[in-house]
Amino acid sequence: MTNRRRRKSPSRRSRTRQITPRTHWLLLSVLTATLSAALLLQGYTHHMFGITSDNVTGTRGRNDSVPSKVAHGGPVIANAATSPYTARVKAHTVALTFDDGPDPTWTPQILDILRRNHVHATFFVVGTQVVAHPELVRRIVADGHQIGIHTFTHPDLAHLAPWQRSLELRETQLAVAGAAGVTTALLRPPYSADNAALDDADWSVLKQAGAAGYVTVLATQDADDWQRPGVDRILANATPHGPAGQIVLMHDAGGDRSQTVAALASLVPRLKARGFEFTTVSDAVGMTAPVQPAGFGEHLQGLALIKVLQGGDWVVWFLGLLMYAAGAISVLRAAAVLIAARRHRRMRTRRRGRSWGPPVVEPVSVIVPAYNESAGIEAAVRSLLASDHPVEIIVVDDGSTDGTADLVDSLRLPVRVIRQQNAGKPAALNAGLAVATYDLVVMVDGDTVFEPDTVRTIVQPFADLRVGAVSGNAKVVNRGGLLGRWQHIEYVVGFNLDRRLFDLAECMPTVPGAVGAFRRHALLDLGGVSDVTLAEDTDLTMALCRNGWRVVYEEGAKAWTEAPASLNALWRQRYRWCYGTLQAMWKHRGALVQRGAAGKLGRRGLIYLLLFQVLLPLLAPVVDVFALYGLIFLDPVRIIGLWLAFLLLQLLMGLYAFRLDGERPGPLWSLPLQQFVYRQLMYLVVIQSVFTAMTGSRLRWQRMERYGSLQAPIGAEKTLNGHPPQEPGFAQPTPYDGFSYAAPYDEYAQPSPHYGLRQPAPHETPHW
């Protein structure tokens, strides 16, 4: 059986570790790159520049390179790159021009006034506004008005690099082509004035635009409506003082244009009464057809640009909504766990006086599943023998290749050693259950050391006959270095605060494999420990809850365990935990619609896990990308303030959790750094686990490297009658400050379905 399983493992490993993860990260990279590109484009188009007042930006420079015939010529400038010439407006002719639009409020009102008076005008549109309101551009063209471009984001072109100028013009042209199916040769640079105001920098812009085929349109009469000086003042500014033709500059967007609308309604009839004719810029100077139908390809490119930018707007809105929702949910979660922790502490304080019932003094069977645990098995066994409660210790060697069983035998301690072929941790636990003498069973990993009172403390809740399992308090022993501190913080703040909440809500989803106690007959009723998931402890705990048993948390039952000391080892461990938890959640999804204890697990525990251990981690990278977007394009002070507020909330939670666990708060100084490395790693673990589950891949057991950082009690020899050893010598584990590798890393083989205890057949319905 073992050889057959080993022959299959290379292909399984290839499928799970090479093909699937590579596809995961390729897809994630593509999605992240696409999202980042969309956000960069959206940020550039909406936040790098913007429509502001038409007041000339900055101090005008020298105008030595501006040709005299341009500086003193007409407002329409063509062929600026080669042989520039200008054109003036015919006498008694007015070309109304409107900048910065289209705007959904003011542009329709202006179009209505022009239609009523049978007047055509020229609209210089901004690309971002075209993207936001393409229907208005179509209406402008359909009503017979002329289109010109006013750049894409309304920057001062004189301050941009040549490539940025080209991009501004090209993107605006595409937007117009996509919206209305036309292209235009008319350009009005933002913040431009009349010919006399041109300087050398402005002239370089006009020459580059001329080389690209654009005709620049300046103004001869500025209504100054952007200042909102009042309707009468706008009328005065826009009214010609003689018979000379004029190009009048007004605005249909960029702010409140109610005064512009009111002034326009009076201006047109008044000038018509004086004999002025209204027409477009091209007709006013005798230009031939500057607006042409767009080619099919250009029209498609423009449509694509509009859809991409509109999609970017939606994405930014949705991400902002998600970020605020995630923040609100996180705050609610923090409040819930802190309130629950406080209530749990009060409940524990009250319980000290009356306890769970009569003291539990009956002996306990302790099962230690072991696979290549020679580095720490002696410390684990001796700590168990040093217990102040009578114990029967059963070490189940699951086909170790490093002499684990021989090492335990050589200690000549009152420990029962069972040897079996490599079949997986569930099979090892079931083998121990099959031979256990007592109904109360404690399960402990081979890399874990108990304190002398841990066994006695963890079994006291069994005085309540409703309790089927008890979760202990697993603590990290190797806390040296940032990685050790971060895991220590996670155990104390994350796991233990959640367990207090689950205990109060009576929906404990997991009794950790490092330190957990069970009623043996409750486990046998379930058919033993199932091997259908990789998180056998979570699966088993959920099954007990669904079978009507209460699962509680006893924080005083402390166990010291080794945590991974490298990012690679941590990844493997958390990947297995997360993937196994997803399997268990799916397996027990029926609890969502059940009643009683099962319903509490489903509607409280499973929803909590789904929300905070699956959905929020999946969204976290997106939120991080959006936070970077906010730092670059939005208000960085606000973004940093929100991050600091979130960090402060976590720090307060950490201080309270460390106080509850009796820990010194020193490691919390590393909490800010945890947000940039450890947090991202955990999110990536969840992402890969979800992808693996969605693709249906089977993940193998992955054993963590042992470093031998646990200390074994000296002379801990104890018989079942409860007599203490002569010199227990139990030493408090010291903080981790280095390690030496134990046996080479190996994996558990795929768990075998045959583990000695009866499991329900596939066609049977379990009795919950």
Side-chain angles (χ1 to χ4, degrees):
M1 180 181 301
T2 302
N3 292 336
R4 176 175 58 84
R5 193 176 298 117
R6 287 178 178 173
R7 283 195 299 270
K8 288 184 178 181
S9 60
S11 63
R12 186 181 299 114
R13 183 183 299 113
S14 175
R15 179 174 65 254
T16 302
R17 290 189 177 180
Q18 295 178 14
I19 299 177
T20 303
R22 192 178 300 169
T23 305
H24 293 166
W25 301 130
L26 176 62
L27 179 59
L28 180 61
S29 300
V30 170
L31 291 176
T32 303
T34 302
L35 176 62
S36 300
L39 290 177
L40 284 173
L41 181 59
Q42 205 273 350
Y44 176 84
T45 57
H46 287 72
H47 301 291
M48 286 296 291
F49 308 100
I51 299 174
T52 58
S53 73
D54 267 2
N55 193 19
V56 177
T57 57
T59 303
R60 292 293 169 176
R62 300 173 63 88
N63 61 353
D64 298 341
S65 63
V66 181
S68 176
K69 59 182 176 181
V70 172
H72 301 91
V76 179
I77 306 169
N79 293 338
T82 53
S83 54
Y85 67 89
T86 67
R88 296 183 184 275
V89 180
K90 295 179 291 186
H92 291 96
T93 302
V94 172
L96 291 175
T97 62
F98 297 91
D99 288 6
D100 298 346
D103 181 273
T105 300
W106 310 116
T107 302
Q109 297 183 42
I110 290 174
L111 290 174
D112 290 342
I113 294 173
L114 297 177
R115 176 181 291 180
R116 286 196 303 268
N117 289 275
H118 307 288
V119 168
H120 290 155
T122 302
F123 290 81
F124 290 93
V125 295
V126 175
T128 54
Q129 294 294 104
V130 174
V131 169
H133 311 289
E135 72 286 349
L136 292 179
V137 182
R138 288 191 288 271
R139 180 182 171 183
I140 290 172
V141 174
D143 284 358
H145 302 290
Q146 205 164 60
I147 288 288
I149 66 173
H150 199 47
T151 71
F152 200 78
T153 61
H154 204 271
D156 187 346
L157 293 177
H159 295 165
L160 298 186
W163 69 268
Q164 285 181 288
R165 299 171 186 171
S166 297
L167 181 65
E168 286 283 333
L169 302 183
R170 175 59 179 165
E171 296 306 294
T172 313
Q173 196 73 259
L174 281 179
V176 171
V182 298
T183 60
T184 179
L186 301 180
L187 164 68
R188 174 171 286 162
Y191 310 106
S192 60
D194 55 21
N195 296 54
L198 293 174
D199 62 12
D200 293 344
D202 297 326
W203 182 240
S204 70
V205 172
L206 269 59
K207 288 198 298 181
Q208 183 176 348
Y214 287 98
V215 175
T216 301
V217 179
L218 302 179
T220 59
Q221 197 143 358
D222 190 348
D224 281 338
D225 57 332
W226 56 271
Q227 299 189 66
R228 301 184 69 239
V231 175
D232 292 339
R233 173 51 58 185
I234 294 174
L235 275 172
N237 293 337
T239 301
H241 299 293
Q246 304 291 338
I247 294 181
V248 178
L249 170 60
M250 304 181 82
H251 298 81
D252 65 328
D256 183 352
R257 299 301 176 224
S258 57
Q259 293 182 6
T260 302
V261 172
L264 180 66
S266 299
L267 177 68
V268 175
R270 179 181 299 182
L271 293 184
K272 277 189 172 183
R274 288 178 51 185
F276 279 90
E277 177 186 354
F278 289 89
T279 186
T280 62
V281 167
S282 62
D283 290 341
V285 298
M287 183 188 305
T288 304
V291 179
Q292 296 289 333
F296 180 73
E298 198 164 26
H299 179 57
L300 287 182
Q301 291 180 55
L303 286 176
L305 175 65
I306 290 174
K307 295 301 181 183
V308 167
L309 291 178
Q310 288 179 342
D313 291 341
W314 183 87
V315 167
V316 169
W317 172 84
F318 184 67
L319 291 182
L321 182 65
L322 285 181
M323 189 172 72
Y324 282 112
I329 293 174
S330 298
V331 171
L332 290 176
R333 179 201 180 193
V337 296
L338 289 176
I339 293 172
R342 184 173 178 85
R343 291 187 59 186
H344 189 271
R345 184 181 186 183
R346 291 178 178 176
M347 181 181 67
R348 177 178 169 83
T349 302
R350 291 195 303 267
R351 190 178 290 154
R352 287 174 182 170
R354 55 184 178 85
S355 72
W356 292 90
V360 176
V361 295
E362 61 184 277
V364 175
S365 295
V366 181
I367 302 174
V368 186
Y371 176 76
N372 288 351
E373 298 285 0
S374 61
I377 192 67
E378 180 178 357
V381 169
R382 290 189 180 277
S383 72
L384 294 170
L385 288 171
S387 298
D388 59 10
H389 192 92
V391 295
E392 170 196 36
I393 301 175
I394 304 169
V395 175
V396 182
D397 182 85
D398 188 43
S400 297
T401 59
D402 67 344
T404 297
D406 295 335
L407 174 61
V408 177
D409 281 337
S410 69
L411 298 177
R412 300 186 179 279
L413 298 174
V415 177
R416 184 173 184 180
V417 179
I418 298 176
R419 303 170 187 254
Q420 67 177 30
Q421 290 186 342
N422 182 231
K425 185 177 181 182
L429 291 172
N430 284 311
L433 283 173
V435 300
T437 304
Y438 306 107
D439 188 55
L440 297 184
V441 175
V442 172
M443 296 180 180
V444 53
D445 289 339
D447 64 334
T448 302
V449 166
F450 275 18
E451 294 188 355
D453 64 346
T454 299
V455 174
R456 173 175 52 82
T457 303
I458 201 171
V459 298
Q460 295 310 307
F462 288 118
D464 187 338
L465 298 181
R466 299 172 300 171
V467 174
V470 182
S471 168
N473 185 352
K475 305 183 80 63
V476 175
V477 65
N478 49 330
R479 304 176 182 179
L482 280 177
L483 191 59
R485 289 188 181 93
W486 289 340
Q487 292 178 85
H488 171 46
I489 293 172
E490 183 182 29
Y491 271 65
V492 176
V493 180
F495 298 160
N496 288 348
L497 283 182
D498 279 349
R499 288 192 182 106
R500 291 179 173 93
L501 175 63
F502 291 141
D503 192 0
L504 281 179
E506 299 183 14
C507 60
M508 185 78 66
T510 304
V511 171
V515 51
F518 304 86
R519 293 190 189 272
R520 180 173 178 269
H521 72 271
L523 300 185
L524 296 180
D525 288 343
L526 298 174
V529 182
S530 173
D531 68 344
V532 299
T533 73
L534 292 184
E536 82 293 330
D537 48 4
T538 300
D539 183 17
L540 185 62
T541 308
M542 291 183 178
L544 286 171
C545 289
R546 296 187 68 186
N547 214 25
W549 291 101
R550 185 179 175 190
V551 181
V552 301
Y553 173 52
E554 178 49 67
E555 63 189 73
K558 298 178 182 179
W560 298 83
T561 185
E562 281 187 328
S566 68
L567 289 176
N568 187 34
L570 177 64
W571 178 276
R572 290 196 302 266
Q573 182 198 66
R574 298 310 172 87
Y575 185 23
R576 177 176 65 82
W577 284 6
C578 184
Y579 184 81
T581 300
L582 291 175
Q583 289 178 309
M585 291 170 62
W586 180 254
K587 176 181 176 181
H588 296 285
R589 63 191 183 278
L592 289 167
V593 295
Q594 291 181 298
R595 297 181 178 180
K600 293 178 181 178
L601 170 70
R603 290 182 290 276
R604 298 176 186 177
L606 293 187
I607 290 178
Y608 185 92
L609 293 177
L610 178 65
L611 187 61
F612 294 108
Q613 294 192 18
V614 179
L615 295 182
L616 280 183
L618 285 177
L619 293 175
V622 177
V623 173
D624 289 344
V625 170
F626 187 73
L628 291 176
Y629 168 85
L631 286 174
I632 298 173
F633 297 111
L634 301 179
D635 184 1
V637 175
R638 183 180 180 186
I639 299 297
I640 294 174
L642 289 174
W643 182 80
L644 290 176
F646 180 72
L647 184 63
L648 178 62
L649 178 63
Q650 288 188 309
L651 180 61
L652 293 176
M653 290 178 61
L655 290 171
Y656 189 61
F658 270 59
R659 179 183 175 187
L660 291 178
D661 265 29
E663 296 280 356
R664 290 180 298 180
L668 290 174
W669 70 263
S670 64
L671 194 59
L673 298 176
Q674 190 184 41
Q675 308 303 308
F676 296 102
V677 180
Y678 191 83
R679 174 173 167 267
Q680 315 304 325
L681 181 67
M682 295 300 102
Y683 292 159
L684 292 176
V685 165
V686 174
I687 291 171
Q688 181 165 350
S689 300
V690 171
F691 273 111
T692 304
M694 292 174 63
T695 57
S697 300
R698 175 89 175 191
L699 187 66
R700 292 166 53 82
W701 275 97
Q702 299 179 0
R703 177 186 176 275
M704 192 186 80
E705 291 170 306
R706 307 305 185 199
Y707 316 109
S709 56
L710 295 169
Q711 292 187 357
I714 306 301
E717 300 176 6
K718 189 171 183 294
T719 59
L720 294 180
N721 60 10
H723 295 300
Q726 292 288 332
E727 294 180 356
F730 182 81
Q732 182 74 7
T734 57
Y736 168 76
D737 58 359
F739 64 87
S740 58
Y741 282 100
Y745 167 76
D746 198 355
E747 300 175 336
Y748 274 108
Q750 190 68 26
S752 168
H754 308 290
Y755 46 77
L757 293 175
R758 181 183 178 276
Q759 276 272 64
H763 64 276
E764 293 182 302
T765 302
H767 299 286
W768 306 114

